[in-house]
Amino acid sequence: MPRHAGRIAPQAGCALELARGEILRVIDPRGEQVADLFAFASDDRRSALSSGRSIDYAGSIRFTTGSVLYAGDSRPLLTIVEDSVGRHDFLLTPCSLEMFALLYEGHSGYHPSCLENLATSLAPYGVQPHEIGTTFNIFMNVAVGPDGAIAIGPPLSRPGDSIVLRAERNLLVGLTACSAEKSNNHSFKPIDYEIHAS
Amino acid sequence: MPRHAGRIAPQAGCALELARGEILRVIDPRGEQVADLFAFASDDRRSALSSGRSIDYAGSIRFTTGSVLYAGDSRPLLTIVEDSVGRHDFLLTPCSLEMFALLYEGHSGYHPSCLENLATSLAPYGVQPHEIGTTFNIFMNVAVGPDGAIAIGPPLSRPGDSIVLRAERNLLVGLTACSAEKSNNHSFKPIDYEIHAS
């Protein structure tokens, strides 16, 4: 039994507190949906998730079972301990209002975004938007071509697929059900999660 | 004539203030050397260089003439206006003491690093180390394989090669001559720079 479980509504987000050793399972209940994750050490907000450190230490832009997600200060925050999909992204920032204006032709005006949803969810903890860097984009399918070009495809996740991460420190985690049309094959869906005691 | 020019000693760094429209030329005087660059908007330190935003908007992990380097808040900080090399890295964090312990077999104890050199150079401006994220690693040659594996090769820069960036806002820039053996073909060399008025 998880000690806590929840469903994140389509185009929404939440904040989760994880104790060291606890297990976070992120589930795609309907398939082809993305969940952006950002994390801070609870006892030192300066110790925040770093894509660059994690890629450097992994020697890869691909993260799956066994991969460690590091903070900028080189301390491990999370380890992937199960992964039924095997394709996630750690190159791109969460979608933002500005991103929709710049990358989605014809879009203007308000659009929900992962950055806003992370910022809103983490604001009660004193997190400011600029502290939210490149997210670990669970189930996001980003390919890098031989010329360096990136291509965003539909997630490879099928209904019920999941990834499981172990907290290596006490963590504050932000998690979303992604708001970007390109990331989830143009269909907004929820994301489920479970927190299990260690 | 540049309004200011300088040489960064091997395994060292510096801070530069650029006015909007000014031009920064970074020169590899001896070839096969890397220069890590980080930047903040002078009038709002929360507006800092973002690899994830820049890759997202470029649609590529490759940056060369015409590419824009964005802040996390989606505002342009720098535009590349000339580039005689065409291969730079925007995936990896600056080398750090912890990186040498983790990735260089047999290394222990002190090692100069770009992170320390950036932190020391930017400290007089009130920048804290955790504010320094993934750097734009000028001349660094990082290849991504079909399986996502990254491989760091000798820089493609030859003696006298350079890259030229235009400041899109008033900027505080940190710049290094890299300290990592793998980045510069195991030979520590200086980096030259020139600042030209717009």
Side-chain angles (χ1 to χ4, degrees):
Chain A
M1 280 286 289
R3 77 154 168 87
H4 177 61
R7 167 161 290 195
I8 305 172
Q11 300 189 297
C14 69
L16 304 170
E17 295 178 50
L18 297 181
R20 180 178 174 185
E22 285 193 321
I23 298 294
L24 172 65
R25 182 183 293 271
V26 180
I27 306 151
D28 183 353
R30 300 192 188 154
E32 293 193 340
Q33 173 60 311
V34 165
D36 286 8
L37 179 150
F38 200 74
F40 298 91
S42 301
D43 62 353
D44 185 355
R45 201 64 55 79
R46 297 172 301 184
S47 191
L49 187 68
S50 168
S51 169
R53 284 273 165 241
S54 302
I55 292 171
D56 201 8
Y57 297 157
S60 178
I61 62 166
R62 297 282 169 232
F63 291 79
T64 186
T65 306
S67 300
V68 177
L69 311 187
Y70 285 88
D73 62 7
S74 297
R75 294 180 64 179
L77 295 181
L78 291 153
T79 301
I80 302 173
V81 294
E82 280 182 47
D83 178 12
S84 70
V85 177
R87 177 57 65 94
H88 315 282
D89 171 66
F90 211 175
L91 296 178
L92 303 179
T93 34
C95 60
S96 65
L97 187 57
E98 296 83 0
M99 189 277 283
F100 288 104
L102 280 164
L103 295 187
Y104 281 69
E105 269 181 44
H107 180 76
S108 65
Y110 179 74
H111 193 298
S113 72
C114 285
L115 182 58
E116 182 188 16
N117 288 327
L118 289 170
T120 303
S121 301
L122 295 169
Y125 294 88
V127 174
Q128 296 182 65
H130 77 274
E131 297 178 76
I132 301 167
T134 298
T135 33
F136 183 60
N137 303 307
I138 294 170
F139 309 132
M140 189 174 187
N141 180 12
V142 176
V144 178
D147 61 351
I150 61 167
I152 301 174
L156 303 182
S157 46
R158 311 291 302 170
D161 269 333
S162 67
I163 186 172
V164 180
L165 303 112
R166 183 180 64 229
E168 302 297 351
R169 298 170 70 181
N170 294 338
L171 296 179
L172 171 62
V173 170
L175 189 69
T176 69
C178 186
S179 302
E181 284 79 353
K182 280 186 186 169
S183 299
N184 52 23
N185 213 9
H186 299 267
S187 169
F188 301 114
K189 284 160 284 194
I191 285 288
D192 291 345
Y193 66 87
E194 299 173 354
I195 301 173
H196 296 261
S198 51
Chain B
M1 278 286 290
R3 77 154 167 85
H4 176 61
R7 168 160 288 195
I8 305 171
Q11 300 188 294
C14 70
L16 304 169
E17 295 178 48
L18 297 181
R20 181 179 174 184
E22 284 192 322
I23 298 293
L24 172 66
R25 183 182 292 271
V26 179
I27 305 150
D28 183 354
R30 299 190 189 155
E32 294 193 339
Q33 173 60 311
V34 166
D36 286 7
L37 179 150
F38 200 74
F40 298 90
S42 301
D43 62 354
D44 184 356
R45 201 65 54 79
R46 297 172 301 183
S47 192
L49 187 67
S50 169
S51 168
R53 283 274 164 241
S54 303
I55 292 172
D56 201 8
Y57 297 156
S60 178
I61 62 167
R62 297 282 168 230
F63 293 79
T64 186
T65 306
S67 301
V68 177
L69 311 188
Y70 285 89
D73 61 7
S74 297
R75 294 180 63 180
L77 296 181
L78 291 153
T79 301
I80 302 174
V81 294
E82 279 184 48
D83 179 12
S84 69
V85 177
R87 176 58 64 96
H88 315 282
D89 171 65
F90 212 174
L91 297 178
L92 303 179
T93 34
C95 61
S96 66
L97 188 56
E98 297 82 1
M99 189 277 282
F100 287 105
L102 279 163
L103 295 188
Y104 281 69
E105 270 181 43
H107 180 75
S108 66
Y110 179 75
H111 193 298
S113 71
C114 284
L115 182 58
E116 181 187 16
N117 288 327
L118 289 169
T120 303
S121 300
L122 295 168
Y125 294 88
V127 174
Q128 297 182 66
H130 76 275
E131 297 178 77
I132 302 166
T134 297
T135 33
F136 183 59
N137 303 306
I138 294 169
F139 309 133
M140 188 174 188
N141 180 12
V142 176
V144 178
D147 60 351
I150 61 167
I152 302 174
L156 303 183
S157 47
R158 311 290 303 169
D161 270 333
S162 67
I163 186 172
V164 180
L165 304 111
R166 183 180 64 229
E168 302 298 351
R169 298 169 70 181
N170 293 339
L171 297 179
L172 171 61
V173 169
L175 189 69
T176 69
C178 186
S179 302
E181 283 80 352
K182 279 186 187 170
S183 299
N184 53 23
N185 214 9
H186 299 267
S187 168
F188 302 114
K189 285 161 283 194
I191 285 289
D192 290 346
Y193 65 87
E194 299 172 354
I195 300 172
H196 297 261
S198 52

